[in-house]
């Protein structure tokens, strides 16, 4: 009887611990997915380790798909927002830029993602992207303002850039200057680069966890 009672208490405590855990889906492209890296060295596993080291009660789900555009993210956000998901990190737009897609389409897609999260009562950290200058000043201005404007409109937390741990605020990605932190393609971070990125993104994810807990 004593053993059964003890087991019951332990199971109840385990259930309470899981209830306190914040489940975060990381919706993104190859940067989120961990392209070109062993699984343990990717963004989501490294961020999970960083959060564990901070004592955060959170569990990350890797919802990154290599090559995904904002349209792809919108198409799969419904099944990404499972009932267990409390929050979402959205990092999309890089492949829209590589293809020179219309900023208006990107805006509409990201807004659709934010609307879906809002309907599911899921808090969001929206990570921005900055267009290169080769598409022209007008294109860059239209694209760059998507993220801060939508974050404000939908009450999402905002971080200017995924590469915040590698470059100063407002600076463009320079593959030559960052060659020690990037893979040979000059686009995707290597394991050391991901570590630096996590150090930059991590504090904002802690803010996201706090936002979820304050809303409970």
């Amino acid at each position: 009887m004593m053993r059964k009672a003890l087991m019951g208490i332990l199971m109840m405590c385990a259930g309470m611990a899981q209830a306190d855990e914040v489940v975060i889906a990381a919706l993104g492209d190859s940067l989120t997915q961990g392209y070109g890296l062993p699984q343990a060295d990717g963004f989501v596993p490294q961020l999970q380790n960083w959060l564990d080291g901070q004592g955060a009660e959170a569990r990350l789900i890797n919802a990154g798909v290599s090559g995904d555009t904002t349209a792809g993210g919108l198409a799969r956000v419904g099944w990404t927002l499972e009932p267990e998901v409390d929050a979402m990190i959205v990092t999309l737009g890089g492949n829209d830029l590589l293809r020179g897609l219309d900023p208006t389409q990107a805006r509409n897609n990201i807004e659709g993602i934010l609307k879906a999260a809002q309907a599911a009562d899921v808090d969001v950290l929206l990570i921005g992207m900055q267009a290169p200058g080769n598409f022209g000043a007008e294109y860059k201005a239209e694209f760059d303002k998507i993220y801060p404007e939508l974050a404000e409109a939908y009450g999402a937390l905002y971080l200017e850039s995924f590469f915040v741990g590698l470059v100063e605020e407002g600076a463009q990605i320079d593959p030559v200057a960052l060659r020690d932190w990037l893979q040979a393609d000059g686009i995707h971070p290597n394991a050391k680069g991901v570590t630096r990125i996590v150090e930059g993104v991590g504090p904002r994810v802690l803010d996201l966890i706090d936002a979820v807990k304050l809303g409970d």
Side-chain angles (χ1 to χ4, degrees), residues 98-149:
L98 288 173
R99 301 176 191 183
L101 300 181
D102 185 353
T104 301
Q105 293 179 7
R107 175 183 286 272
N108 291 340
N109 293 332
I110 294 172
E111 185 169 22
I113 291 169
L114 293 176
K115 284 181 176 178
Q118 191 176 70
D121 195 25
V122 166
D123 291 291
V124 173
L125 168 59
L126 181 61
I127 299 181
M129 293 277 168
Q130 287 74 49
N134 56 302
F135 293 117
E138 184 178 350
Y139 183 100
K140 178 173 175 56
E142 282 297 310
F143 199 97
D144 290 3
K145 69 182 182 181
I146 291 171
Y147 300 87
E149 288 184 355

Side-chain angles (χ1 to χ4, degrees), residues 26-210:
L27 181 69
D29 50 31
S30 56
L31 296 175
T32 299
Q33 182 264 333
Y35 174 86
L37 297 171
Q39 183 177 353
D41 291 336
F43 172 70
V44 172
Q46 286 209 45
L47 179 58
Q48 181 71 69
N49 290 337
W50 188 91
L51 292 172
D52 292 344
Q54 300 295 314
E57 296 176 333
R59 175 167 61 89
L60 297 177
I61 297 172
N62 191 341
V65 173
S66 186
D68 223 357
T69 60
T70 56
L74 176 60
R76 60 191 177 86
V77 70
W79 58 260
T80 300
L81 291 169
E82 298 178 356
E84 66 172 346
V85 172
D86 302 302
M88 188 163 61
I89 303 169
V90 178
T91 312
L92 288 162
N95 289 306
D96 295 62
L97 288 174
L98 288 173
R99 301 176 191 183
L101 300 181
D102 185 353
T104 301
Q105 293 179 7
R107 175 183 286 272
N108 291 340
N109 293 332
I110 294 172
E111 185 169 22
I113 291 169
L114 293 176
K115 284 181 176 178
Q118 191 176 70
D121 195 25
V122 166
D123 291 291
V124 173
L125 168 59
L126 181 61
I127 299 181
M129 293 277 168
Q130 287 74 49
N134 56 302
F135 293 117
E138 184 178 350
Y139 183 100
K140 178 173 175 56
E142 282 297 310
F143 199 97
D144 290 3
K145 69 182 182 181
I146 291 171
Y147 300 87
E149 288 184 355
L150 288 181
E152 182 177 4
Y154 286 88
L157 294 176
Y158 172 66
L159 184 65
E160 181 186 59
S161 172
F162 180 82
F163 294 96
V164 65
L166 297 180
V167 299
E168 294 182 4
E169 185 175 350
Q172 291 293 313
I173 304 298
D174 181 352
V176 176
L178 297 178
R179 60 182 177 273
D180 290 340
W181 311 104
L182 299 177
Q183 297 180 44
D185 61 10
I187 297 174
H188 298 92
N190 57 28
K192 294 189 303 179
V194 172
T195 299
R196 290 277 297 269
I197 288 167
V198 165
E199 290 170 354
V201 174
R204 206 67 177 124
V205 179
L206 290 178
D207 292 339
L208 180 63
I209 294 168
D210 288 342

